[in-house]
Amino acid sequence: MRRKGDLPQKICAQCGRPFAWRKKWERVWEEVRYCSDRCRTEAKRAARKS
Ligand SMILES: [Zn+2]
């Protein structure tokens, strides 16, 4: 039996919540900083504002 908590996790740079590895990130996991497209968009917008 395999434990369910095996997947790597990161903290989202935008919302600060932990998120787990996903299949779609298997090639870019090192570069992933946000939990979702929404957070990535928000982060971009926030950076632009200042
Ligand atoms: Zn997020």
Side-chain angles (χ1 to χ4, degrees), residues 12 14-17 34-36 39:
C12 176
Q14 173 62 19
C15 68
R17 295 184 177 194
Y34 307 107
C35 66
S36 61
C39 276

Side-chain angles (χ1 to χ4, degrees), residues 2-47:
R2 213 146 191 260
R3 283 167 77 192
K4 270 193 174 177
D6 265 0
L7 294 176
Q9 287 199 349
K10 283 190 177 184
I11 305 292
C12 176
Q14 173 62 19
C15 68
R17 295 184 177 194
F19 59 96
W21 184 92
R22 290 192 204 166
K23 180 73 175 169
K24 68 172 181 177
W25 291 328
E26 69 178 338
R27 287 174 181 221
V28 294
W29 179 242
E30 295 279 313
E31 298 160 34
V32 174
R33 291 180 60 203
Y34 307 107
C35 66
S36 61
D37 287 344
R38 204 180 116 194
C39 276
R40 206 179 52 192
T41 308
E42 294 276 319
K44 256 189 189 175
R45 191 183 298 164

